[in-house]
Amino acid sequence: MDQLNILEKIKMIPVAYQQEVEDFIDFILQKKANKKEEENSPRKLGLLKGKMKMSDDFNAPLDDFKDYM
């Protein structure tokens, strides 16, 4: 899409709605900047360490499947 075409369409929008268009553009630019920051930041390992617990009977057969075993 041509930039001049976009600008002409924005000019046709009532002034009250032009602010909404500007806010949406700012939102998109901020979203893109945040995504770029996430891509460049290294992974942090061990963030969930100690937050999950595996049951002792994790590998035990489930009662629901007794008919199939």
Side-chain angles (χ1 to χ4, degrees):
M1 187 175 264
D2 185 22
Q3 289 181 355
L4 292 176
N5 191 11
I6 293 172
L7 291 174
E8 290 300 319
K9 287 182 179 182
I10 291 174
K11 288 178 185 177
M12 293 179 355
I13 297 173
V15 177
Y17 293 114
Q18 288 179 8
Q19 181 62 45
E20 288 187 37
V21 172
E22 183 181 3
D23 292 342
F24 183 68
I25 292 170
D26 292 339
F27 168 76
I28 291 172
L29 293 174
Q30 184 64 38
K31 184 177 174 182
K32 184 177 180 181
N34 289 344
K35 185 176 181 182
K36 195 170 205 174
E37 287 176 10
E38 289 176 5
E39 290 174 356
N40 293 335
S41 64
R43 289 185 183 183
K44 295 181 182 179
L45 300 177
L47 287 176
L48 295 176
K49 186 175 183 176
K51 304 221 180 204
M52 293 184 211
K53 183 178 181 250
M54 189 172 294
S55 174
D56 292 333
D57 63 346
F58 177 76
N59 285 329
L62 298 174
D63 292 337
D64 294 341
F65 294 108
K66 281 184 180 179
D67 297 339
Y68 303 105
M69 294 183 160

